[in-house]
Amino acid sequence: MTGMSEQMRIRFVLIRGGTSKALFLRRHELPADPVLRDRVILELFGSPDARQIDGLGGADLLTSKLAIIGATDTTDADLAYTFGQVSITESLISYDMNCGNISAAVGAYAVDEGLVEPVEDRAHVRIYNTNTGRVLLAEVPVVGGLAAVAGDFHMDGVPGTGAPILLDYQHTAGGATGALLPTGHERDTLTVPELSATVEVSFVDIGNLCVFFSAKAAGMTGLEDSRTLTGDQIVAVKAIQYAAARKLGIPTGGLVPIPVAVAVPASYTAYGSGSLVGSDQISLLARVVGGRPLAMHKAYPGTAGVCTAVAARIPGTVVAEVSAPSDGDTLTVGHPSGTMPIWARVRGTAGDLVVERAAYARTARRLAEGYAFVRRSTWQG
């Protein structure tokens, strides 16, 4: 690193992955001390500040994301990747979950940075995610030795089309809790004092740990988006998430379990595009109200997507109950910005479940690279 008067510079890459954007940093170029490292990262993003005006953050849950890339000791992976959700309102970076959108960007980054060798027009990237302690697989199309950008794959929530990156999470089951079904049951009953009610939920742990519940339990219809979600509904979701965390014996107030409200298919107008999503185009309605502070996800997180699809393949879960019957592996989630197809296959019974497929496609594009600056006083602590 080179000093420039009162500031120091650090190399970065900005990549859009799916419906999110992240700053990519190399682990060995950051301070080794975790507290000092996070202080530097918060300044890079301009947090805490609602506009992140003094940093590179995008002032939105989906654009205040971090990927730290480093070497891995395991022979099963090509690199180690740590995801961080950088708070906009607090001096806090959450490392308790992975991000499926940014996982696609990690695949593209690995190709562009020469961390893997493509074979003809494809690169297979084995990514060790430190957040979950699991390896996920990315298949990246390649043009001229770099991650392909142009293509005809469209994903709702992102303008235009791009080259599809296939992500497979079949080997990530139990990353947070050690089991695909953390409680050993397809569904559990939670006592939620704040709602003066009991709520039927399903805990599933693949990609990320999620808790699924009927939208009605939070006073929702399943058709809400970020404009129509009410404060009372957010309070209800938070109460369910906290009760779910207590049930699992994990700290409340974290990003996991990701709360997912589900409902039977219904028609609605997609957020942003204004296009009509017909009930016959989707397998179910699903809404993620997550982050810190809790807010409606404008689209649908990739890791929650694979978790949702796998849950739908397990008879007796809350998700299976509301999902329309389907042939083959494809399940289509109806989310605020449109639809998300996911491919999932599960065999066995509750005591012996094997996930044979848990995959989806995302596009990614390198947006910027160069040096960002932080105050020398911040770096030196």
Side-chain angles (χ1 to χ4, degrees):
M1 299 202 180
T2 302
M4 290 186 64
S5 64
E6 295 179 296
Q7 298 201 93
M8 299 179 69
R9 67 181 189 175
I10 182 170
R11 192 162 57 97
F12 80 95
V13 178
L14 178 66
I15 305 179
R16 177 192 61 77
T19 55
S20 299
K21 288 191 289 191
L23 282 185
F24 278 67
L25 305 171
R26 289 294 184 97
R27 186 173 61 201
H28 69 275
E29 295 177 355
L30 290 165
D33 176 68
V35 174
L36 184 55
R37 176 202 63 202
D38 284 4
R39 190 183 306 162
V40 168
I41 292 168
L42 285 165
E43 183 165 311
L44 284 173
F45 277 78
S47 289
D49 173 53
R51 294 191 298 152
Q52 293 182 317
I53 193 64
D54 199 33
L56 299 178
D60 186 277
L61 175 69
L62 300 183
T63 56
S64 189
K65 297 189 174 188
L66 164 74
I68 300 175
I69 306 298
T72 177
D73 295 330
T74 176
T75 57
D76 296 331
D78 300 302
L79 57 94
Y81 146 60
T82 300
F83 171 72
Q85 181 68 61
V86 181
S87 175
I88 298 171
T89 58
E90 301 175 70
S91 296
L92 179 67
I93 304 172
S94 298
Y95 295 105
D96 54 357
M97 62 179 283
N98 184 21
C99 173
N101 282 315
I102 302 308
S103 295
V106 172
Y109 178 89
V111 174
D112 290 349
E113 295 288 315
L115 301 179
V116 294
E117 287 291 331
V119 178
E120 297 180 348
D121 64 349
R122 285 282 182 269
H124 292 88
V125 187
R126 301 169 304 166
I127 302 167
Y128 176 72
N129 175 239
T130 66
N131 307 81
T132 60
R134 295 292 189 269
V135 175
L136 60 105
L137 309 175
E139 182 180 305
V140 184
V142 175
V143 174
L146 299 174
V149 174
D152 58 7
F153 181 77
H154 171 75
M155 57 175 297
D156 289 334
V158 180
T161 62
I165 296 172
L166 186 67
L167 292 163
D168 193 334
Y169 287 79
Q170 64 172 293
H171 301 302
T172 67
T177 64
L180 177 64
L181 298 179
T183 66
H185 307 124
E186 295 91 343
R187 67 169 64 197
D188 291 272
T189 301
L190 294 182
T191 298
V192 186
E194 298 88 341
L195 302 181
S196 300
T198 57
V199 177
E200 294 288 306
V201 303
S202 292
F203 293 102
V204 183
D205 182 3
I206 184 167
N208 266 320
L209 172 62
C210 294
V211 57
F212 299 95
F213 51 91
S214 168
K216 292 180 181 178
M220 300 167 60
T221 64
L223 296 170
E224 290 80 6
D225 60 36
S226 60
R227 302 163 299 180
T228 60
L229 189 72
T230 68
D232 288 344
Q233 290 166 339
I234 292 174
V235 169
V237 171
K238 182 177 180 179
I240 294 170
Q241 185 196 33
Y242 275 41
R246 291 193 295 268
K247 174 75 173 180
L248 296 179
I250 61 178
T252 58
L255 298 181
V256 293
I258 298 173
V260 186
V262 297
V264 297
S267 300
Y268 63 98
T269 301
Y271 173 85
S273 67
S275 59
L276 178 66
V277 178
S279 59
D280 59 343
Q281 296 176 259
I282 58 177
S283 306
L284 76 160
L285 291 167
R287 298 295 190 263
V288 168
V289 183
R292 186 184 286 112
L294 286 177
M296 172 71 73
H297 200 290
K298 293 185 176 67
Y300 207 69
T303 51
V306 295
C307 199
T308 303
V310 168
R313 301 295 185 233
I314 303 174
T317 66
V318 172
V319 184
E321 183 178 29
V322 299
S323 298
S326 63
D327 296 324
D329 294 348
T330 305
L331 178 134
T332 303
V333 171
H335 60 76
S337 295
T339 65
M340 178 184 175
I342 309 128
W343 302 279
R345 185 168 59 249
V346 181
R347 63 176 170 82
T349 56
D352 187 28
L353 292 170
V354 176
V355 179
E356 297 182 327
R357 196 179 190 195
Y360 62 90
R362 283 290 193 255
T363 62
R365 188 166 78 89
R366 197 179 185 100
L367 301 176
E369 61 180 19
Y371 291 98
F373 294 87
V374 296
R375 295 171 180 84
R376 184 179 296 275
S377 58
T378 300
W379 190 278
Q380 295 175 342

